[in-house]
Amino acid sequence: MRPLFRWIELSSTGEFVGTISGRVWRVKQSNDNVPVCFHRSSLSDAELAAVGQIPEPLVNYFRLDVQLGPLMQSWLSRDPVLKQSLANLPLACFHRFHGIRLLRQDPVETIMAFITSANNNVPRITKLLLALSQRYGKALAQAADCDATVYSFPSLEALASPGNSDELRTLGFGYRANFIPAAAQQILAKGGVERLLELRNASYEETKTFLRKLPGIGNKVRRLLTFIIKLDEF
């Protein structure tokens, strides 16, 4: 659906360093049969002893509990147009994009990333979100084999200050500088992160109505965000 803007690739090891739920992770895919591997430094010794093959935060983030096969069968049984369009495709086509997943990302970061993405390109979006995290997030760790420090994504409270707009313009956000603190303020007023998580189980219309009221969220972005927030229903 969209790139992982804030993950840092370590070319020396083929790993990616990023944050999930405020914790630094180093991950990679070693082969097609293992969806994700993680560096032992991502967990304490006690946690390593307690986890199974893949820790729950990674299962949740990468949605490893969701399999394409049953979903495809369900879609084909309910959509005759889709079934007809795929009827003559060779089986290999269904495996062409093996491993691609829609991630269950932090809803605050997802919303702010979409606001930032308006009339923008991937390198610039990446630069802006990294700058946003460095300015308003918390330094979590220095990534091994990497010169960059890993930062958490800013909290709603950190983003909501009206005085942030001028500083965001200095960082390069342009006209989006007003939208980010205004959106953070509205989300906080409506229940904050807890409310965003509740929307995962709310109706499609309720979720869409909530997002419609956020500054910087147009019709196209609202539809995409509604889909992403409610991934588990699709």
Side-chain angles (χ1 to χ4, degrees):
M1 179 62 67
R2 63 185 181 86
L4 298 176
F5 296 114
R6 297 194 314 116
W7 286 76
I8 301 169
E9 183 176 7
L10 305 181
S11 57
S12 59
T13 63
E15 295 173 302
F16 289 84
V17 178
T19 64
I20 301 173
S21 301
R23 167 176 247 162
V24 178
W25 290 86
R26 290 177 59 176
V27 300
K28 67 183 295 184
Q29 184 175 20
S30 58
N31 60 68
D32 290 341
N33 297 319
V34 180
V36 61
C37 299
F38 64 95
H39 196 278
R40 64 173 293 110
S41 63
S42 300
L43 296 176
S44 67
D45 290 340
E47 288 172 320
L48 284 170
V51 300
Q53 184 177 8
I54 301 177
E56 179 58 31
L58 297 184
V59 173
N60 182 65
Y61 185 79
F62 289 102
R63 302 178 77 235
L64 299 178
D65 52 336
V66 178
Q67 301 301 318
L68 177 61
L71 287 176
M72 183 63 74
Q73 292 177 2
S74 174
W75 296 333
L76 292 175
S77 68
R78 292 182 293 169
D79 190 333
V81 176
L82 177 64
K83 184 175 182 178
Q84 179 61 36
S85 65
L86 298 180
N88 297 322
L89 288 179
L91 184 62
C93 290
F94 290 95
H95 301 288
R96 181 177 180 184
F97 301 111
H98 176 75
I100 292 180
R101 291 184 174 272
L102 299 179
L103 305 179
R104 191 181 284 116
Q105 292 182 275
D106 172 71
V108 174
E109 181 173 353
T110 300
I111 289 172
M112 298 306 169
F114 267 103
I115 291 175
T116 304
S117 70
N119 298 314
N120 233 332
N121 56 63
V122 170
R124 192 160 183 273
I125 297 167
T126 300
K127 179 181 178 181
L128 290 173
L129 292 176
L130 288 173
L132 187 72
S133 300
Q134 184 173 354
R135 175 61 186 87
Y136 299 105
K138 296 180 180 179
L140 298 177
Q142 180 81 27
D145 309 318
C146 179
D147 293 333
T149 299
V150 180
Y151 291 85
S152 66
F153 195 79
S155 66
L156 287 170
E157 290 78 6
L159 294 173
S161 172
N164 288 346
S165 295
D166 290 340
E167 192 166 34
L168 288 170
R169 287 191 186 88
T170 301
L171 292 176
F173 280 83
Y175 69 88
R176 308 166 196 84
N178 289 331
F179 295 149
I180 289 177
Q185 292 163 21
Q186 287 203 24
I187 295 171
L188 284 171
K190 297 294 184 179
V193 175
E194 291 76 12
R195 178 56 179 152
L196 294 179
L197 295 176
E198 289 173 358
L199 291 176
R200 290 177 174 174
N201 299 313
S203 69
Y204 179 86
E205 288 301 322
E206 182 180 353
T207 305
K208 189 170 66 173
T209 299
F210 179 93
L211 295 172
R212 182 185 297 126
K213 298 177 181 179
L214 297 182
I217 303 295
N219 289 333
K220 178 181 178 181
V221 170
R222 184 176 68 249
R223 288 193 294 269
L224 287 171
L225 274 174
T226 302
F227 170 72
I228 290 173
I229 288 174
K230 300 185 64 59
L231 271 179
D232 294 332
E233 290 191 6
F234 296 91

